Amino acid sequence: MESPAPGILLIADPFLKDPNFMRTVVFLCEHQDEGSFGFVLNKNYEYTLDELVSGLDDLKKIPVYLGGPVQMDTIHFLHQYPEKITGGYEIIDGVFWGGNFETAIDLIRAGEVDMTKIRFYIGYSGWGSGQLADELKEKSWLTVPANRPLVFHKKPSEIWKDALRHLGGEYEIMVNFPIDPQLN
């Protein structure tokens, strides 16, 4: 298992019961002694970007993902356009967090952005000092280095399964584990 760091995926254990993180994959963007944060990659939010941000009525329905339960009044984005959207932070090779939101919207309006290379999130997932380390000791999470195909997966609902497959070996069989083994 990989140690927590920017660019690591946290894959929820198949039996993790926390409703915020059941069968999720979190892309860690920051990890320090004071805490960690990232975005759940595979939970669609019920509203689209134009429904959450005023002045975007002219945009087609852009999906938003539930980044996590913290600060649900904030919008974040991951993208692959550092040369066009300035001010972002490179988390892994070719994957950037944030940058100039207005520029991103202008590029979308102009059709200069491939929508498979930008994702929007409401809220984020956060852990205080030592909290993530404790959850890792409890085996709530499996860890693996992130890659662009997983972060910008064509079918976000499949990220959890594909991340487990990415781990390989014994982890691949977890893909088929029931959510609650007592119900089998």
Side-chain angles (χ1 to χ4, degrees):
M1 292 289 112
E2 300 289 326
S3 296
I8 293 297
L9 293 178
L10 301 175
I11 305 165
D13 177 82
F15 304 117
L16 182 65
K17 298 287 189 222
D18 181 334
N20 292 308
F21 297 108
M22 188 182 304
R23 303 261 164 136
T24 61
V25 176
V26 176
F27 179 57
L28 274 184
C29 294
E30 188 68 48
H31 178 73
Q32 297 181 9
D33 290 340
E34 301 82 35
S36 308
F37 89 91
F39 304 105
V40 172
L41 298 176
N42 60 329
K43 281 182 102 171
N44 280 33
Y45 193 59
E46 60 190 298
Y47 298 104
T48 56
L49 191 61
D50 62 294
E51 294 171 312
L52 297 171
V53 179
S54 62
L56 303 184
D57 299 341
D58 60 314
L59 293 181
K60 62 181 180 177
K61 300 292 183 189
I62 297 171
V64 174
Y65 297 87
L66 183 58
V70 181
Q71 287 193 341
M72 293 287 297
D73 58 346
T74 60
I75 298 284
H76 303 268
F77 63 102
L78 297 173
H79 63 90
Q80 298 178 50
Y81 289 102
E83 69 286 348
K84 294 183 177 186
I85 303 171
T86 59
Y89 296 95
E90 189 170 33
I91 306 300
I92 61 170
D93 185 36
V95 176
F96 293 78
W97 162 56
N100 187 303
F101 182 81
E102 289 78 20
T103 299
I105 296 302
D106 289 344
L107 290 167
I108 291 169
R109 280 189 174 118
E112 295 181 32
V113 169
D114 177 346
M115 292 308 294
T116 66
K117 295 181 178 183
I118 189 167
R119 291 257 167 90
F120 293 89
Y121 302 88
I122 187 164
Y124 64 89
S125 300
W127 294 264
S129 179
Q131 188 179 7
L132 182 55
D134 290 344
E135 290 181 15
L136 288 167
K137 284 179 197 163
E138 295 167 358
K139 303 204 182 302
S140 295
W141 301 101
L142 303 167
T143 58
V144 66
N147 60 46
R148 273 184 286 177
L150 283 173
V151 173
F152 292 96
H153 202 291
K154 289 179 178 30
K155 293 182 179 176
S157 63
E158 296 293 313
I159 293 173
W160 183 79
K161 290 179 179 181
D162 286 351
L164 284 171
R165 288 184 188 108
H166 185 66
L167 279 170
E170 64 188 68
Y171 299 105
E172 285 186 73
I173 63 170
M174 291 179 168
V175 168
N176 298 314
F177 283 7
I179 290 174
D180 188 346
Q182 295 175 356
L183 297 177
N184 274 355

